[in-house]
Amino acid sequence: MEKNELKTTDSDNGHSPSETEKHLEHGVPVDAVNLPDPDEGLSEEERKRIDRALLWKLDLRLIPWLSLLYLMSFLDRTNIGNAKIDGLQEDLNMSNNQYNATLTIFFISYSVFEPLTQVLLKRFRPSVFLPVIMILWGICMTCMGLVHNFSGLMAARWFLGLTEAGLFPGVNYYLSCWYRRSEFGVRAAIFFSAAALAGSFGGLLAAAIVNMDGVGGKPGWAWIFILEGLATVVVATLSFWMARSCSTEKMDLQLTICQVHDFPDEAKFLSEDDRRRVIRRLKLDQQSSAEHEEFKLDYLWASLKDWKTYTGMMIYMGVDGALYAFSLFLPTIVQQMGYKSIHAQLLSVPPYAVAAVVTIFIGFVADRTRMRGYCNMVMSLFGIVGFAMLLGSGSPHVQYAGTFLGAMGIYPCIPNTISWTANNVEGVYKRGISLGFVIGWGNLNGIVSSNIYRAEDKPRYKPGHAVVLAYEAIFLLGGSVLQHVLLRRENAKRRNGERNNWVEGKTEAEIEKLGDKRPDFLYTL
């Protein structure tokens, strides 16, 4: 994020200190200065060493397990694409439209319930909420392998969307409550790279599982659902058991990273001093999300009235619509290039592997440069070129190269857009609700993605590729440019003191509650 430096008054201009300037002490928020400092009296070098050790502790406890949870989530929602090329549609006697309907119904329930889940995550604690929804979606996934007709698959997919709705926006919001804005992006990228790994791993796993065809009287595609669903239940149960029954002081690192922790102000794996350090470093970054806050409808209205909610929704629909089209249909696209079932499964692996690496790299670059908008713009160009290659060429080699560029233009922009939104929305519930709206609207576009690759358009699937190309050019690229310009204009007004009247006559507590409406809060570009 851009460093929050308020424009100081120049003596030759004759300006007196503004209300906003009074809210800062030596460039640091007063509420942060007043927090207990467990490292008082230490040198700057000692403070940096303690801060690095604290970050490393947070990374080890939070990132690996959460990434695994999302890997399983994305694997469970997209493995239907792998099942399709192994005979799912034929065995259940489904038409092409019925198959697309099973994809569509997931996104309806998934999108509708996402904003609500952000409130539930905060109220029921991550250590309870996340494992519980995982167990539920693991059961739904297992049931997908037991269905015998179209209606059964539709019901299972509906409940899969409902139960998975809380994970992705929930974890992104949760991580934003632990890290500074300039640290959040690369962690979100590492977390989301699990989605690319899920696509890569899913192809390999599916290629192995389909060899179980006939075991227990079940076809190979059914075993994809059953085994992956049961694995999800096992991981969720392990997370819940670790969170409820283990004392971190008596556990080694291998155990403690296998659980979901609560928010910083009540995290049991941190000492009292470390909890103070986390909250203090977030306050210095002008964040209040680490602390307790009661839910009020005012936070919902604040999110709905914020223009950044709608530009975020526009950007995210551009990248998410492309994401689901790519992940659901890549095996089918590769198969239509002339490759058989297992070969097509395996060839779907490399584009995802490249996307995972690029996703983490862009997360690192965006954190260092604090220019998330530019990162979105540049990467969207890769996606546009990739889908233009798929649309314009009939050569299998050119098309396959296009899938690499397409993946590179999609996957890095997902965590970068989420980080961009989280960086620019302050307040515990407002941020969670805004992320719910942005991600929910983006996922609603999975309905479009589920219906644009039609059987009658094979083997080139030109309408599908054209729609994805339009999504990336108009919404992802165009939306990123629009939001970047508007944020830059707003920052200029704040630096010039044009928003200082917002805090005139307000107390420190009232100014704090303004969140990202505080005139000294500069937006990440």
Side-chain angles (χ1 to χ4, degrees):
M1 167 173 177
E2 255 183 62
K3 188 176 179 181
N4 264 329
E5 294 177 342
L6 188 69
K7 182 180 179 181
T8 56
T9 55
D10 298 326
S11 57
D12 57 347
N13 288 337
H15 293 160
S16 59
S18 68
E19 289 295 323
T20 307
E21 289 160 339
K22 293 176 184 176
H23 189 57
L24 299 181
E25 183 173 312
H26 305 297
V28 175
V30 171
D31 55 349
V33 173
N34 294 334
L35 285 174
D37 184 2
D39 303 318
E40 188 174 1
L42 297 181
S43 68
E44 188 65 25
E45 184 58 36
E46 289 173 318
R47 284 177 176 271
K48 288 181 178 179
R49 179 177 55 80
I50 291 172
D51 196 57
R52 286 194 296 268
L54 177 61
L55 262 181
W56 181 240
K57 181 187 292 186
L58 297 181
D59 288 343
L60 286 178
R61 302 299 176 93
L62 301 176
I63 304 301
W65 198 245
L66 293 175
S67 297
L68 176 61
L69 301 190
Y70 190 59
L71 184 150
M72 303 196 76
S73 166
F74 205 82
L75 189 65
D76 288 348
R77 81 182 62 166
T78 59
N79 57 13
I80 192 170
N82 300 108
K84 178 178 183 287
I85 64 174
D86 193 59
L88 164 72
Q89 185 173 341
E90 293 77 11
D91 288 353
L92 296 186
N93 297 313
M94 293 190 300
S95 66
N96 294 320
N97 288 337
Q98 285 178 323
Y99 172 75
N100 287 343
T102 64
L103 304 183
T104 300
I105 198 168
F106 169 89
F107 294 105
I108 295 175
S109 57
Y110 187 77
S111 305
V112 167
F113 289 99
E114 273 187 319
L116 172 63
T117 60
Q118 301 313 287
V119 177
L120 296 178
L121 173 71
K122 181 67 178 176
R123 302 197 75 168
F124 292 107
R125 309 166 69 95
S127 61
V128 174
F129 179 75
L130 294 178
V132 166
I133 65 170
M134 277 195 73
I135 290 173
L136 293 176
W137 97 56
I139 293 171
C140 294
M141 172 56 50
T142 304
C143 290
M144 284 176 59
L146 305 177
V147 301
H148 299 286
N149 53 42
F150 166 68
S151 299
L153 187 60
M154 284 287 283
R157 291 284 293 178
W158 164 267
F159 285 106
L160 182 67
L162 169 62
T163 51
E164 279 201 28
L167 185 72
F168 183 64
V171 170
N172 277 286
Y173 161 65
Y174 172 69
L175 286 177
S176 74
C177 296
W178 284 89
Y179 294 99
R180 291 173 177 167
R181 278 173 266 262
S182 60
E183 300 163 345
F184 175 53
V186 71
R187 273 91 184 169
I190 293 171
F191 164 69
F192 183 73
S193 66
L197 291 176
S200 179
F201 177 65
L204 291 172
L205 192 59
I209 293 176
V210 294
N211 291 318
M212 293 180 64
D213 185 44
V215 175
K218 295 290 182 185
W221 61 261
W223 282 110
I224 294 176
F225 297 142
I226 294 170
L227 293 183
E228 293 178 7
L230 292 175
T232 298
V233 173
V234 170
V235 170
T237 304
L238 181 61
S239 293
F240 187 80
W241 178 78
M242 289 301 230
R244 307 314 301 167
S245 65
C246 296
S247 170
T248 30
E249 288 82 2
K250 300 178 182 179
M251 291 161 50
D252 62 24
L253 181 61
Q254 286 182 325
L255 293 178
T256 56
I257 63 173
C258 295
Q259 77 180 83
V260 178
H261 299 285
D262 290 316
F263 293 101
D265 60 341
E266 49 193 12
K268 295 179 181 179
F269 77 94
L270 293 176
S271 66
E272 184 63 32
D273 281 348
D274 277 346
R275 282 197 288 270
R276 287 173 180 161
R277 289 184 182 104
V278 172
I279 294 173
R280 180 178 171 81
R281 71 199 305 275
L282 292 177
K283 281 288 190 180
L284 291 170
D285 196 40
Q286 293 189 313
Q287 296 190 63
S288 59
S289 302
E291 298 185 295
H292 181 69
E293 182 175 276
E294 294 296 330
F295 175 74
K296 298 176 183 177
L297 279 177
D298 291 347
Y299 302 127
L300 171 62
W301 304 129
S303 178
L304 289 173
K305 290 187 290 186
D306 191 341
W307 61 266
K308 300 191 303 297
T309 300
Y310 301 100
T311 54
M313 290 166 67
M314 177 183 179
I315 298 167
Y316 201 71
M317 73 177 285
V319 67
D320 225 27
L323 169 73
Y324 287 117
F326 186 86
S327 59
L328 288 170
F329 290 98
L330 179 61
T332 302
I333 293 170
V334 174
Q335 186 184 45
Q336 292 305 313
M337 295 177 187
Y339 302 106
K340 300 301 181 183
S341 176
I342 293 180
H343 199 181
Q345 304 275 25
L346 296 175
L347 283 174
S348 68
V349 173
Y352 286 118
V354 171
V357 174
V358 176
T359 296
I360 296 173
F361 174 73
I362 294 299
F364 178 81
V365 170
D367 275 356
R368 288 300 180 93
T369 63
R370 300 171 186 176
M371 290 293 177
R372 303 198 185 281
Y374 287 132
C375 288
N376 260 11
M377 295 173 209
V378 170
M379 297 315 298
S380 68
L381 295 177
F382 282 90
I384 289 170
V385 171
F387 278 92
M389 292 167 65
L390 285 165
L391 180 63
S393 176
S395 167
H397 295 93
V398 174
Q399 289 184 315
Y400 191 54
T403 65
F404 282 85
L405 293 176
M408 291 169 59
I410 295 170
Y411 282 85
C413 295
I414 293 282
N416 191 55
T417 299
I418 296 302
S419 301
W420 200 11
T421 299
N423 284 176
N424 291 329
V425 180
E426 185 46 55
V428 173
Y429 280 109
K430 183 187 176 186
R431 181 186 299 170
I433 292 169
S434 295
L435 284 173
F437 279 125
V438 169
I439 297 173
W441 175 251
N443 284 319
L444 199 59
N445 285 271
I447 296 173
V448 177
S449 305
S450 303
N451 292 281
I452 56 177
Y453 284 93
R454 304 172 303 176
E456 56 264 35
D457 298 324
K458 63 182 183 183
R460 295 288 304 278
Y461 294 107
K462 286 187 175 182
H465 296 327
V467 171
V468 175
L469 186 61
Y471 261 75
E472 293 218 58
I474 298 172
F475 300 117
L476 175 55
L477 177 58
S480 295
V481 171
L482 175 63
Q483 179 164 282
H484 176 85
V485 170
L486 293 177
L487 290 174
R488 184 176 289 279
R489 287 181 179 176
E490 181 59 29
N491 279 352
K493 291 179 180 180
R494 295 186 180 197
R495 287 195 180 95
N496 292 331
E498 296 177 40
R499 303 304 193 199
N500 289 351
N501 62 300
W502 290 353
V503 296
E504 290 178 359
K506 294 185 182 293
T507 65
E508 296 294 338
E510 290 172 331
I511 293 173
E512 174 67 16
K513 290 181 180 179
L514 289 176
D516 55 270
K517 290 295 184 182
R518 284 165 46 171
D520 63 333
F521 186 102
L522 294 185
Y523 292 122
T524 298
L525 299 179

